[in-house]
Amino acid sequence: MIDLNLLVKETGAESGLRFNIDGILLESINLEYDGNVAAMIGMILKMCLEMSEDLNNGELKQVMIKNNDGIVVANKDQNDNCVALLSNDISKMGLLLRKIDTFFNN
């Protein structure tokens, strides 16, 4: 199981959450409206998963959302367990992508 506290600490993300593909929140750190955020990111992951299948591009692994004031990186494993990290610092994008991949591959 992924240690969300350690992942948030090592990446410097402002917040993080663990949930399933159906958007059911399992754990969150420093996030207001965490249940709503889990549901929305779960829906985004599910839609992207279906698009990947329709396009025969392989299994969905990660979604990144970049906006003017930050970044969201969400990963899904083969068992539909999901983790998302949120940061207000775009310069942390590479670190977030690398660390979340490392945690999911171990």
Side-chain angles (χ1 to χ4, degrees):
M1 181 188 315
I2 290 180
D3 183 342
L4 188 60
N5 283 312
L6 182 60
L7 185 57
V8 168
K9 182 180 176 181
E10 285 190 4
T11 60
E14 280 74 33
S15 55
L17 59 157
R18 205 169 46 84
F19 55 100
N20 67 23
I21 194 76
D22 293 320
I24 306 299
L25 180 67
L26 303 172
E27 178 184 13
S28 73
I29 297 172
N30 301 328
L31 190 61
E32 192 173 1
Y33 309 114
D34 52 2
N36 291 343
V37 174
M40 289 184 281
I41 297 175
M43 181 59 67
I44 291 167
L45 284 168
K46 195 176 270 193
M47 290 173 63
C48 291
L49 172 67
E50 291 172 4
M51 183 183 75
S52 287
E53 289 171 354
D54 289 348
L55 297 174
N56 295 319
N57 283 344
E59 188 173 334
L60 177 72
K61 183 176 165 183
Q62 187 173 69
V63 172
M64 181 184 69
I65 303 167
K66 180 181 165 190
N67 56 38
N68 291 338
D69 296 321
I71 185 170
V72 177
V73 177
N75 265 48
K76 182 194 87 59
D77 69 12
Q78 66 276 8
N79 297 319
D80 290 341
N81 299 306
C82 306
V83 169
L85 296 175
L86 297 84
S87 176
N88 296 329
D89 186 352
I90 295 290
S91 70
K92 292 181 182 177
M93 181 173 59
L95 178 62
L96 292 175
L97 293 169
R98 184 166 183 246
K99 280 288 185 184
I100 203 167
D101 272 346
T102 300
F103 270 72
F104 259 76
N105 291 328
N106 288 337

